[in-house]
Amino acid sequence: MPRNRRSRHAVLAGAGLLAALAVYGVSQQAAASATDTDAQAPATTAARTAAPTTEVPTPSHTTPAVTGTGTPAPTPTTAPAPAAAPTGGATGKPAPGATAPAPLKPAELPDGDRQEWKPMGEVTSLPLSGDFQLNECVSIAKATAWHQQGFRGSTRDTVAVQDTLTFPDEATAAAAYRTAVGAMKDCQATSRELQRKAALPQDAAVRQTANTTDGTSWQRRWTGVQGISSPGDQANHVYAVRRGNVLALLHYDEPASASASPSYDFRGDTAVLRTLGALLAK
């Protein structure tokens, strides 16, 4: 990993929370800036086009997979640990004039009743000097500030992460949202190519689960390729909502180890998108 690349794990590891779930090392530069912040959680990578605008809840259910930060704790081998990363690095200090928007309340997160989400530390606010990497598929450019809040679920290997990116203007934020939508449209092919190179079953399946005005959600069910995600059977739920010059990216991952319980029914994703949109509109 290049020395100037800062992974989301670095931020969370600063509070010790992510140490348990990180899948790869963080550079000395990243680790140094991370020690200034409270615990937070990780996310994922790549990018591209535009999104639908009609509200259409989509039925179904799945077994999501997340990345988490956390205080030093045993690392569950089956827990996916996505790592989102701003590639240009961050200074460890809030961007001038940037105010962290309030994160979702734990009960407003997907599958809130079953997961009983709890915040991991405070919101971490950092300026960006490079692209923001969400997962293997989504990479966002031109953000000027990054705010992150991690949540841990009722099972130790289940985590949700809300990342909020601020842009210089509304047009740039809208372009970033279209990039995320296009990248997720191609995410199944991107994920299967990664699986092919890793000699794993090419079983990645990505589907859009809901959309609202400037808001879209997806599910990716796959055998994860270790790197940004942790290895193994998992489902990743990704939510993108844009309001004004702000883009919120929420991801909730659930490893196969949590599948003994009923899988998250993503028919609730429309409500999650609306709640996130209302939060950004305040």
Side-chain angles (χ1 to χ4, degrees):
M1 174 178 285
R3 293 180 61 84
N4 69 340
R5 182 162 182 149
R6 186 177 193 285
S7 99
R8 188 175 287 171
H9 286 303
V11 177
L12 301 179
L17 291 175
L18 274 198
L21 294 177
V23 243
Y24 49 82
V26 178
S27 69
Q28 291 181 345
Q29 177 182 349
S33 61
T35 49
D36 294 334
T37 62
D38 263 333
Q40 237 63 8
T44 0
T45 120
R48 215 142 79 188
T49 3
T53 53
T54 321
E55 298 193 352
V56 182
T58 310
S60 248
H61 64 276
T62 188
T63 311
V66 175
T67 61
T69 30
T71 39
T75 305
T77 56
T78 55
T87 56
T91 66
K93 298 179 181 179
T99 302
L104 289 172
K105 297 175 182 177
E108 295 172 331
L109 293 169
D111 206 15
D113 291 342
R114 182 165 66 98
Q115 288 297 335
E116 298 178 349
W117 299 106
K118 291 180 173 55
M120 296 190 290
E122 302 296 326
V123 174
T124 296
S125 301
L126 295 166
L128 297 175
S129 58
D131 293 351
F132 176 84
Q133 189 174 356
L134 176 65
N135 56 23
E136 291 84 357
C137 303
V138 180
S139 180
I140 302 294
K142 299 183 180 180
T144 55
W146 166 35
H147 311 292
Q148 184 182 83
Q149 176 67 65
F151 302 87
R152 185 171 294 285
S154 55
T155 55
R156 200 161 182 77
D157 54 359
T158 305
V159 179
V161 184
Q162 179 182 333
D163 293 290
T164 307
L165 303 176
T166 303
F167 296 84
D169 50 52
E170 185 170 339
T172 307
Y177 171 71
R178 292 193 297 271
T179 290
V181 172
M184 287 304 298
K185 181 179 179 180
D186 295 336
C187 192
Q188 179 169 302
T190 301
S191 301
R192 289 189 178 186
E193 177 60 14
L194 287 172
Q195 290 178 316
R196 185 190 67 77
K197 291 179 179 178
L200 293 172
Q202 295 172 49
D203 60 2
V206 177
R207 64 177 296 175
Q208 180 179 307
T209 60
N211 70 283
T212 58
T213 303
D214 284 340
T216 310
S217 60
W218 305 265
Q219 171 203 289
R220 175 176 61 176
R221 187 79 174 80
W222 69 321
T223 300
V225 177
Q226 182 164 340
I228 289 179
S229 295
S230 52
D233 187 16
Q234 60 192 269
N236 313 131
H237 293 273
V238 179
Y239 305 80
V241 176
R242 197 272 305 177
R243 289 290 184 277
N245 68 330
V246 175
L247 173 64
L249 299 167
L250 170 68
H251 81 87
Y252 158 41
D253 303 332
E254 190 174 33
S257 62
S259 63
S261 303
S263 299
Y264 167 60
D265 186 341
F266 55 67
R267 282 177 293 185
D269 281 354
T270 298
V272 174
L273 291 175
R274 288 173 175 165
T275 300
L276 193 52
L279 177 70
L280 297 183
K282 290 181 180 178

